[in-house]
Amino acid sequence: DEQLYSQGHERLEGEFCPICTLPIPLRLDEHSALNICCMKRVCRGCDLAARKRGMEDCPFCRSPRPAGDADELAMIQARVAKKDPVAINLLGQKYIFGELGLQK
């Protein structure tokens, strides 16, 4: 019975922090941040630790964070050009909700 009930409860790859490799608690949007530059979801703990060390850039790829909507859109479009499925999905969401100055 234990073997039967323990099957099918594996977490997806994107639900683990790429820095500390710990699972991010559910309600991912509350416990982590999606970095637009590399499309990696980093837990709040690793993000806070990086900021306490004085690192204001992305804690995963160390790219500067976007300064505004135009920079954020350019970073997303650059990842879309590289055929990143997370970026393609995010760009679609930005179009659907009319964010970053995109037409709904």
Side-chain angles (χ1 to χ4, degrees):
D1 287 336
E2 186 175 326
Q3 183 182 8
L4 177 65
Y5 290 120
S6 67
Q7 292 177 349
H9 296 286
E10 294 181 19
R11 308 255 333 241
L12 299 174
E13 181 182 333
E15 294 181 357
F16 289 88
C17 177
I19 297 174
C20 66
T21 66
L22 293 174
I24 299 170
L26 292 179
R27 296 288 309 179
L28 294 176
D29 54 336
E30 292 178 8
H31 299 285
S32 64
L34 180 67
N35 293 308
I36 302 300
C37 47
C38 57
M39 294 296 156
K40 298 290 183 188
R41 186 169 290 280
V42 177
C43 71
R44 295 277 184 211
C46 290
D47 193 39
L48 179 65
R51 287 179 190 261
K52 280 189 171 185
R53 283 188 224 117
M55 188 169 77
E56 294 298 321
D57 299 334
C58 172
F60 184 77
C61 70
R62 301 176 192 244
S63 295
R65 295 187 191 262
D69 287 351
D71 286 346
E72 187 173 339
L73 181 59
M75 285 182 169
I76 294 171
Q77 289 173 334
R79 296 297 305 175
V80 167
K82 295 177 182 175
K83 310 250 187 271
D84 185 340
V86 176
I88 294 168
N89 182 41
L90 182 62
L91 184 60
Q93 288 177 3
K94 299 296 182 186
Y95 271 106
I96 286 172
F97 296 112
E99 297 173 350
L100 301 179
L102 297 171
Q103 196 169 9
K104 209 173 186 183

